[in-house]
Amino acid sequence: MSGLNIVLPNSVQRHIQDIAAKEGVSIDQFISSAISEKISAIMTEDYLSQRAKKADRNKFREILNNVPNKQPLAGDEL
């Protein structure tokens, strides 16, 4: 593992301390987890963006045209 020194506003540090204590984890564990979640979100967005570039609108419409026209199940209405 490697170390990283960061400067945070006092208010952010207090929130980190409070939440880490509430979650029962160390500040290092909380920050590592938060950063990992952010990395995962960005990588997922990049992946979906790349997949979307490969999409074919005409094929998508063909697939949608094959969907039966039925009333939505209870609770699925708009």
Side-chain angles (χ1 to χ4, degrees):
M1 283 202 196
S2 62
L4 177 67
N5 291 323
I6 60 173
V7 177
L8 299 171
N10 292 336
S11 60
V12 172
Q13 183 178 356
R14 282 193 301 274
H15 285 297
I16 290 170
Q17 290 170 327
D18 293 345
I19 295 170
K22 186 173 150 183
E23 295 292 318
V25 297
S26 69
I27 291 172
D28 286 353
Q29 287 173 312
F30 175 79
I31 292 172
S32 179
S33 177
I35 292 170
S36 295
E37 287 177 25
K38 183 64 175 183
I39 290 169
S40 178
I42 291 170
M43 290 178 70
T44 299
E45 184 178 349
D46 290 346
Y47 170 76
L48 293 175
S49 192
Q50 291 302 315
R51 289 291 307 261
K53 289 178 184 175
K54 297 177 184 179
D56 183 325
R57 287 186 182 271
N58 292 326
K59 288 182 182 177
F60 178 69
R61 286 189 181 103
E62 285 177 25
I63 292 169
L64 286 182
N65 287 335
N66 292 325
V67 176
N69 188 12
K70 293 185 177 181
Q71 292 295 318
L73 298 174
D76 283 348
E77 307 90 352
L78 291 178

